Amino acid sequence: MSDSSPLPPVLLHPDAELARDALSTPLLSRAVRLARWAGPDTRVDAGGGLADEQLPAAAEALGLSGDDAAALASEAWRVALDAGLVDVTDEEAGTVEAGEDLALLSGGSPQDVLGVWQAALEAVLADASVPDLDDLADAMDAGGEIDFSALDWDPEAESEFLDGVLANLYLLTVSEEGPGQVPVPLPALAASMIVPGDMGEPTNDMLEQVSDAMMRLDDQFRLLAPVGLIEYQPVDEALMADADAESAAPVDETDVSRYGIVRLTPLGLYGLRARLLEAGFGAPAVGELADKGADALLDQTSYFPPAAAQAETEQWLARREQLTAARELLAAARGADAGAPLRRLRCQQALSLVGAEAEPALREVLDDAELGGLARVWLSERGAAEVPAPSEQMVFWLTVDTLAAQLAAEGNSDELQALVEGLAMQHSGFFAAAWRVDHPATADVLEAMGRLHPDKRIAKEARKAAFKARSQRGG
């Protein structure tokens, strides 16, 4: 993923709602309770971890019991320490006090709360890249020291792998073509890091790497779910059992959820976007253009997926009177540059969201060579009276402009091909007239029609018309 190309925009939940979600996550809520539980008698070890003799009391304070109680209490304490909810006051004595950030969770702004949660997330992500305890025990030498060379563990590579997986999950979630809020199967996510996108059939070696990556991610996602980054259904334990062992109950081999499924939460989208921005990626959020001018709105939403473009435009319109907004949009849609057709298409889509109050703005541009066509379309669709019929020259200009916009937005798509075929079928003399249209994109549009039309004779006509148009413009 290149850091020079902006990702699709994400529609974030309001900060206040996200802050409530953050406070209710199992891990942060436990960390907060421990920070408030800690007192003068609380003791920590040299690394700041809660002393072993304190763990039973900490687990009891959290209402935890069972074999995992001490481990969960220890994890919550580490998060409290890393997130600034507790501070070590005397390393030698092992004493602690409430951290400055603890007060933010009850008296700070939603952004303050989210900042604390983000620190907790970073702590958990760091832990998720560390080998599990069994691996560490196996790598311990006779003197009790860990032989890191025996672990086959590269901390930087592990961190980069997890970052890459989470970036792919973010992209799948915000992409128009992705699953959106639909959970992503763990095998597909693991394969996205290993199998090239243009590869037809992965090799056996790659499949083995995908399987290994799934097991790593299963462990890591189990750690990340309690901090609220994801919702995760782990890999079925039966899949990891001995292949020769008989299952006590029949299983559905076609159930992909047995291999693990993951979904980013709204809080997770917020957190990963913040990390991507910190890493230098372009990660826009819907609503960022609400205070910008119409030119910024049309330019930047030109390459948004349709749903995101509409959501952004709705927020932009909500802050303006409709007549003023329509005039701003129409003024920004003018131009003969390469991006102008797509701006006019986005302008037309934005104007479809305004009501009759905007009619005077559309009537003001009826005689405009660039905007008169779309103004007539808008007025006619609303049943306005006394809408002048467009000239043939305006009809052809609007047709070329619309095709140029579709070409810029979608490339050689099936929808554009269908539009091209329909035009050629409805207007037998289309190419004879179209090459004369005084539009900067006429030749490019006709060349595209020549590429897209399946009928060789008609495609040849389009290419000849494109040659004439280019010659006419001196190109």
Side-chain angles (χ1 to χ4, degrees):
M1 188 169 61
S2 169
D3 60 2
S4 62
S5 301
L7 294 161
V10 59
L11 181 59
L12 296 173
H13 288 204
D15 284 353
E17 183 179 330
L18 292 172
R20 288 193 296 271
D21 289 346
L23 290 172
S24 65
T25 59
L27 190 52
L28 184 58
S29 62
R30 288 176 191 154
V32 172
R33 287 164 66 186
L34 280 189
R36 290 172 177 159
W37 161 84
D41 296 329
T42 305
R43 292 294 180 269
V44 296
D45 58 28
L50 205 56
D52 289 344
E53 62 270 19
Q54 303 263 294
L55 288 175
E60 184 179 354
L62 294 175
L64 299 172
S65 60
D67 295 340
D68 293 335
L72 291 172
S74 177
E75 179 188 31
W77 179 263
R78 288 198 308 273
V79 167
L81 188 66
D82 290 340
L85 305 180
V86 289
D87 291 329
V88 178
T89 55
D90 187 330
E91 293 184 6
E92 186 173 343
T95 55
V96 298
E97 65 180 8
E100 291 183 2
D101 288 348
L102 181 60
L104 295 177
L105 299 182
S106 55
S109 67
Q111 290 81 6
D112 291 331
V113 173
L114 290 169
V116 173
W117 175 82
Q118 195 81 35
L121 172 63
E122 293 301 325
V124 177
L125 286 168
D127 284 346
S129 298
V130 175
D132 62 30
L133 291 176
D134 290 339
D135 290 339
L136 290 174
D138 292 342
M140 195 170 292
D141 60 24
E145 297 292 326
I146 296 174
D147 180 6
F148 287 99
S149 63
L151 283 172
D152 189 25
W153 173 55
D154 181 339
E156 186 175 345
E158 281 293 323
S159 179
E160 287 180 356
F161 177 80
L162 183 56
D163 284 346
V165 168
L166 293 175
N168 281 356
L169 181 58
Y170 181 92
L171 181 58
L172 284 169
T173 304
V174 301
S175 172
E176 192 76 9
E177 293 77 27
Q181 295 302 304
V182 178
V184 179
L186 189 60
L189 193 56
S192 72
M193 294 295 294
I194 295 165
V195 181
D198 57 355
M199 174 174 279
E201 190 72 24
T203 64
N204 289 336
D205 179 59
M206 283 185 174
L207 291 175
E208 187 173 340
Q209 291 180 53
V210 169
S211 180
D212 291 343
M214 284 174 56
M215 295 304 100
R216 289 160 62 195
L217 289 173
D218 182 64
D219 290 338
Q220 292 170 327
F221 285 171
R222 288 172 192 256
L223 291 175
L224 292 172
V227 79
L229 182 75
I230 56 173
E231 291 177 1
Y232 181 55
Q233 179 176 321
V235 176
D236 187 344
E237 297 287 348
L239 292 172
M240 294 181 277
D242 190 335
D244 295 330
E246 293 185 8
S247 176
V251 295
D252 181 3
E253 298 294 341
T254 63
D255 182 9
V256 295
S257 67
R258 296 181 65 228
Y259 297 88
I261 52 175
V262 61
R263 183 181 74 87
L264 272 182
T265 64
L267 186 60
L269 275 171
Y270 171 90
L272 288 190
R273 175 176 178 265
R275 298 187 87 238
L276 288 165
L277 289 172
E278 181 70 21
F281 288 92
V286 171
E288 290 182 332
L289 302 178
D291 294 326
K292 303 286 181 68
D295 53 346
L297 177 74
L298 297 184
D299 276 331
Q300 295 186 43
T301 60
S302 290
Y303 302 98
F304 281 17
Q310 178 165 333
E312 185 71 61
T313 303
E314 287 172 347
Q315 293 198 29
W316 189 89
L317 289 170
R319 300 199 180 191
R320 293 162 177 79
E321 293 183 358
Q322 296 205 359
L323 178 57
T324 301
R327 285 179 172 140
E328 287 184 27
L329 289 166
L330 289 164
R334 288 190 172 92
D337 57 285
L342 193 48
R343 285 203 307 276
R344 281 187 282 272
L345 177 62
R346 290 301 193 208
C347 173
Q348 191 170 4
Q349 292 166 341
L351 290 170
S352 71
L353 303 175
V354 301
E357 306 94 301
E359 182 173 333
L362 278 298
R363 290 197 176 275
E364 289 166 6
V365 298
L366 281 172
D367 294 330
D368 188 288
E370 295 177 350
L371 305 175
L374 69 84
R376 284 167 171 78
V377 171
W378 190 93
L379 292 166
S380 298
E381 286 177 347
R382 282 155 183 74
E386 300 180 9
V387 180
S391 65
E392 183 180 66
Q393 181 182 5
M394 181 174 286
V395 169
F396 274 94
W397 194 95
L398 181 60
T399 301
V400 169
D401 198 57
T402 302
L403 287 171
Q406 295 287 354
L407 194 60
E410 303 173 8
N412 299 333
S413 65
D414 292 340
E415 292 78 6
L416 185 56
Q417 181 173 338
L419 182 59
V420 165
E421 291 180 36
L423 275 172
M425 184 182 301
Q426 294 168 18
H427 305 282
S428 58
F430 177 81
F431 297 113
W435 70 267
R436 304 175 189 275
V437 173
D438 186 19
H439 189 293
T442 297
D444 292 335
V445 165
L446 291 171
E447 283 181 356
M449 294 181 76
R451 287 195 310 272
L452 292 168
H453 205 289
D455 186 298
K456 291 183 178 180
R457 180 186 61 79
I458 296 176
K460 185 177 180 180
E461 282 186 44
R463 290 193 296 271
K464 287 173 64 177
F467 177 78
K468 291 181 179 179
R470 209 169 291 283
S471 299
Q472 178 178 254
R473 294 186 67 86

